[in-house]
Amino acid sequence: DEATFQAFGGKAGLQSLMEDFMANLLADPRTRPFFEKANQTRVKAQLVDQFCQALGGPCQYKGLDMKSAHQGLPPITREHFNALVEDLQDAMDKHKVPFSAQNKLLAELAPLHRDIEH
Ligand code: HEM
C-alpha cells in the first residue's frame, strides 16, 4: 500500500536502500561469492522495481522470474537465503525503515525461497 511504500522513502528511498543492501551482500562472506560476479547495477535496479511492486508502489517488475534468475548460479541453500535476509534487515535498520514496514516486505519475499533455493 501507499503508506508502506512511503515508509521506504518511495522509489528514491528504495534506490538508496539498495546501495547499502548490495554493499552488505558484498561484505558478507556468505553472499559475496554470488554477488561479486554479478552485474550489480542490473541487480540493484531490478530489486528496486521488484520491491516497489511488492510494496504496492507505482512500479512494474520486468526482470526474470525468480527461478530463471537463480537456477544458473551455484547451489543456493536456506543458509544463503537467510544471510541475504539478514543483510537486507541491516540495510533497512540503517535507513530507519519502521519495523512494521520491514515486516510487510519480508512477508512478501519469504515465499520466494521455493523458487530461489536449489
Ligand atoms: C528474497 C530473496 C531474493 C530475491 C527477492 C532476489 C531477487 C533477485 C532479482 C530481482 C534478481 C535480478 C533478476 C534479473 O536480472 O532479471 C536477482 C539476481 C541475482 N540473485 Fe537474487 N534474489 C533473492 C535471493 C538470492 C540469494 C539468496 C542469492 C545468493 C546468495 C541470490 C543471488 C543472486 C545473484 C548472484 C543474481 C545475479 C545473477 C546474474 O549475474 O545475472 N539471490 N535476484
Side-chain angles (χ1 to χ4, degrees), residues 50-116:
Q50 188 188 36
F51 287 13
C52 174
Q53 182 172 316
L55 292 167
C59 311
Q60 209 191 333
Y61 174 66
K62 300 193 190 89
L64 297 169
D65 65 84
M66 289 296 93
K67 217 177 188 75
S68 310
H70 300 93
Q71 67 185 359
L73 298 169
I76 297 176
T77 65
R78 177 59 58 91
E79 284 67 36
H80 295 121
F81 190 89
N82 289 343
L84 176 139
V85 169
E86 267 181 50
D87 294 334
L88 175 58
Q89 286 174 315
D90 287 345
M92 293 191 293
D93 283 343
K94 183 174 172 188
H95 285 255
K96 308 215 183 307
V97 177
F99 193 55
S100 58
Q102 294 193 17
N103 282 342
K104 282 190 182 168
L105 178 61
L106 294 174
E108 293 292 324
L109 299 183
L112 301 180
H113 78 89
R114 290 188 206 93
D115 287 334
I116 294 170

Side-chain angles (χ1 to χ4, degrees), residues 17-62:
L17 174 72
M18 240 45 93
E19 295 300 322
D20 281 304
F21 180 30
M22 184 58 73
N24 290 347
L25 290 168
L26 291 168
D28 184 338
R30 301 170 295 179
T31 50
R32 183 178 55 233
F34 293 90
F35 288 95
E36 66 187 357
K37 299 181 191 88
N39 181 343
Q40 293 154 18
T41 305
R42 177 184 163 90
V43 177
K44 282 185 286 186
Q46 295 301 331
L47 285 171
V48 167
D49 280 344
Q50 188 188 36
F51 287 13
C52 174
Q53 182 172 316
L55 292 167
C59 311
Q60 209 191 333
Y61 174 66
K62 300 193 190 89

